[in-house]
Every structure is written in C-alpha cells, then in structure tokens.
Amino acid sequence: MRDYHLPGRSAVFARNGMCATSHPLAASAAIDILRSGGNAMDAAIGSAILLGVCEPQMTGLGGDCFVLFNPPGSDDTKAMNGSGRAPAALDPDAVRALGHTAMPEAGALPVTIPGAVDAFCRLSDDWGKLGLDRILAPAIRYFDEGVPVAPRTAIDWQNTHQYLEGRARDHYLIDGKAPEIGQVFRNPAQAALLRMIARDGRKGFYEGEAAADMLAALNAAGGTHTTEDFASTACSYTDPVFGSYGPYEVVEHPPNGQGAAALLLMNILKRFDLAAMDPFGSERAHVEAEATKLAYDARNRFIADPGHTTALDHLLSDKTADALTALIDPNRAMESATTLSEQVHKDTIYITVVDRDRMAVSLIYSIFRSFGSGLASEKFGVLFQNRGSGFNLTPGHPNEARGGKRPMHTIIPGILKAGDRMVQPFGVMGGAYQANGHARFVTNLADFGLDPQSAIDAPRTFPWQGELRVERGYAPSVLQELADRGHNVVTPAKPIGGAQTILIDHESGTLQGASDPRKDGCAIGY
C-alpha cells in the first residue's frame, strides 16, 4: 500500500466492468460502450480507435495491432495478429542499391500495409455484440468535435512533430505548430473515414475511395504499394506462447511480436533469487539489464514473420535460458551481448477492458515511431506506420525485408493466468522497452509482492544503445554502484514506457484497475 503522505494514485475498484488506458476520454468511452450493452471486445475496439485523436503521435488507422483475449465464460486465451505486410514489390536488393544498410525510418519505404482496421472489423464480427456503427460512434464524435490535448501528449507532440512531412503537417499541426496543452485538436477528415468503415466494414478502408487516397500518397512518395496489397490484407488468429514465473502462467503473443523475448528474459531472471534483492537496488537492476541484453540479442537473431521464425522452441527452452544465464557476471556489465551469446545461438497505446462476464481484452495498437513514417494521405489524413523499419537488410536473415512479409514488431499485449484462470491482462508501452517492461512488471508482482498500481509506479531501468537508462526514482548511491559495475548510466529525458492492467479477483468478484502516471490516462470502472 502506498504512503498517503506522498503524491501518488490509488488503484480503481469496481465490479461490473473496467477499462484502463492512456487517456481518460478513451477509458470513459469504453465504459459507456459496456453500459450500452457492449462487451469487452466492443469497448476495447471503440476506445482504441478513439485514442487516434487523443494521441495521434502514438496510434491511428494507419497502424497495426496485436490482441490477446478470452471468450466470455472461458479462460482459454486467443490471439489475433493484426499486423500488416510489406508491399509485394518490396525488394531488399533494390533497397540496398539505394545505399541503405538498414531500413529507413521515414518516407514510403518502411510503410507496411495497415493491419489494425482489418483486425478490428474481424474481431467485431466474431466476438463483439454491438456492431461497428455503434462502437465507432464515440470516436467519430470526438474526431469531429475535437479533444483538448493532454499534458504528456502535448510534450510528445512538441518533441516529435518534426517527423511530419507534406500533407501530414496540415492534418496533424494547428497553424503549422504542435498544439499546446489544452488546445483542441480535431480531425474531421478521419471522422468521415470512420463513417465509411462503420457503414462498409473493412471495404470502407481497404478498397474504393479510402484505398485510392492512401495509395496516391504512398506512390507519390516512391512507394511500391498497390491496390492488391490493400485489398488482400488479412489479419490472422494464432496461438499464444506461454511461460511461467512465480505463481503465474505468462501468456504472450507469438512472433512477429517480441513476446517470446519477454518470456526468455523472465526465464533467465527466475534463475536468480530476485526476491532476496532490494527491488530498487543496484543488484536487481544489474541482473535485469544483463538478462535484457541477452534476450534482446536473441530476439534480433530469430524473431520475424511467423512463416520465417524457425527458432521459437529455442527461444522458449530452459536449455537456452541456462546457457544465457551462465554468461552473466553478477559484478560486471557485459560489453557485447552479441559477442558473448554467439556460442549459444550459433511511441504505442495499450488498452485493457474486462466486462461483467469476465471477458478480458489485452490490446496494443501503434504506428511505431512517433508519427510513424511521417507521411499521411491527402483526403483522409491516414498517418502511415513505419513498421517496415523493423525489418533488417541482412541477406538470408529471417527478418530480412521482402515483399509480403510481416516485420518483427516491438508491440506485445500480455495476460497473466493463475491456477488455469485468467487473472490479469496487462501491457507495457514504450517501443523496444516492452519485453523488458513485461519482465519488470511481472517480477514486481511475483518477487516483491507489489500491488498492480505500485508495480506500475515503481522506477524503471532499460539497457539500450550502449546506455543503462535509469529513471529518477533511483537513489544516487544506486546509480554510482551501477556505474562501478561498468554501466553507462544515463537519466533519460522522458520516463520509460507506460503501462495499464486490470486484476480480476475471482473470489470477491471485484476488478482492480491500475494506470501509469507516466501517461495521461487512468482506469475507470462501474
């Protein structure tokens, strides 16, 4: 329990339904959908799409999604891959011939076909109760009328609006400038597109006027995208991957997301006695950082399009975790995870909703980098993701860029089960941090006994690009101890990631929602 003398936030408790996400208007809209007779799937889809006007730098119709959920009255977890593919004509040799050694982040080259809209339409048809016209109504209203820009969103907008190019600047800036806190942002062009989707389903997006608008923008920017690329886009149901940590069975989305890397990281960490460590001390931070480096190196080697990931069993095996654990020096940071592990291997929104029937949805939806590729369509202002920058250009690599493939994704939803029951959907935003974030959240619960809100609030670290990024919640003595172990300790300009979760107490019948203060959102129940 938190110290009520200090600033903080309490968890939210309710019985009938709950939503936790990164903007209050989206959480409120989800509850309205539940009150109107919708279920968790209806509420999650409607709220997620609304976040496209609340946080357009993070997400939108031009992006992808991954979803974990359980049907009403069942603890069986299902997975939906709502990620799009590279245009069929994408040729890695042609990209390399342009002088690229890595996929670019901006422009048309990294734009993969948006997959989220197809997934939302399919999930609504298969599992929803109200239909697209009703669940999209709140989003249509707010896209038309506008939303006051929230504080964290305004900061992100100000820091990244330079990524916007051409018509995207007209759609996502106000008088050429990033909006300020409290300024109302509207996107009526996207409201018109949502009306088409509400009326015509996926055809309203992937065919006809909308597809022509998107193709014109991409082809004008040098893209190889075609009408057939859009028309043939199809989401796919898939099987989750599982691991164990403490009292939990951890459910993750399979490749092309990085859920297997999160499971590998937890599999390494459970070989240490974390519970005997100070949760906010240098020993725990060091071990987690070293395990993260090794798990991410494995991720970069093997995770790719599901049809090209051939080492999933290797990533999830105890033998691999044992071998990687042996590479960790408890007193010294490694210089190169890639070199050490050679012998072993030869900006996003998250939303979770639980309804009265205890259907739970764990959904993550993103355009990748802030403002994605920086490109938007002329008429409807669809801001295209740059997920193709998740490919690499190494010839023969499982994740080599190529037409028709899905790239490796950073976004991953999570679910915790206990005693074969679904007890806690959760997600951690923050780009590459997400696998590390899943492990940090689960170990906070299992090893240190933190409640859901405290597990989210707790300070974070993340080893990335030669730095150990450490939030300001750590004591100066801990920073010095980490530096003494050889870490390049850096305080990041922005906090690390964001998270949401809902705990289902099956005995009492209550729901406990927690939301990250690093974002603008909240949990709301009824």
Side-chain angles (χ1 to χ4, degrees), residues 414-468:
I415 280 178
L416 296 179
K417 300 177 77 172
D420 294 326
R421 302 206 71 178
M422 205 288 299
V423 296
Q424 195 164 358
F426 73 98
V428 179
M429 299 163 277
Y433 174 68
Q434 291 179 50
N436 189 170
H438 278 215
R440 167 61 62 117
F441 176 73
V442 174
T443 56
N444 277 346
L445 296 174
D447 289 310
F448 303 111
L450 300 183
D451 62 81
Q453 187 63 57
S454 298
I456 286 174
D457 291 348
R460 296 169 180 156
T461 67
F462 182 41
W464 188 243
Q465 297 178 335
E467 300 173 345
L468 180 58

Side-chain angles (χ1 to χ4, degrees), residues 10 77 217 250 256 273 281 293 349 380 401 416 425 483 503:
S10 297
T77 307
V250 185
N256 48 312
D273 186 8
K293 293 173 189 176
I349 66 92
F380 296 113
L416 296 179
L503 173 63

Side-chain angles (χ1 to χ4, degrees), residues 8-9 152 453 456-457 460 495 499 515-521:
R9 62 168 59 181
R152 171 63 194 274
Q453 187 63 57
I456 286 174
D457 291 348
R460 296 169 180 156
S515 179
D516 203 321
R518 296 169 180 84
K519 298 286 186 176
D520 296 313

Side-chain angles (χ1 to χ4, degrees), residues 191-242:
L193 177 54
L194 286 171
R195 289 188 182 94
M196 293 166 59
I197 297 169
R199 183 187 68 231
D200 301 326
R202 70 173 305 283
K203 287 185 178 181
F205 184 81
Y206 293 98
E207 301 178 23
E209 186 179 7
D213 180 50
M214 291 186 281
L215 282 166
L218 291 170
N219 294 158
T224 59
H225 308 72
T226 67
T227 301
E228 176 58 28
D229 289 327
F230 275 83
S232 63
T233 296
C235 59
S236 52
Y237 288 108
T238 186
D239 296 321
V241 289
F242 301 87

Side-chain angles (χ1 to χ4, degrees), residues 39 41-42 45 122-131 359:
N39 64 11
M41 188 63 74
D42 294 319
I45 294 169
R122 178 76 178 275
L123 289 166
S124 174
D125 286 345
D126 291 352
W127 300 100
K129 295 172 67 176
L130 296 184
M359 182 185 198

Side-chain angles (χ1 to χ4, degrees), residues 4-28:
Y4 286 88
H5 285 259
L6 301 175
R9 62 168 59 181
S10 297
V12 175
F13 289 81
R15 296 184 64 195
N16 296 309
M18 185 168 287
C19 173
T21 193
S22 51
H23 197 285
L25 289 180
S28 178

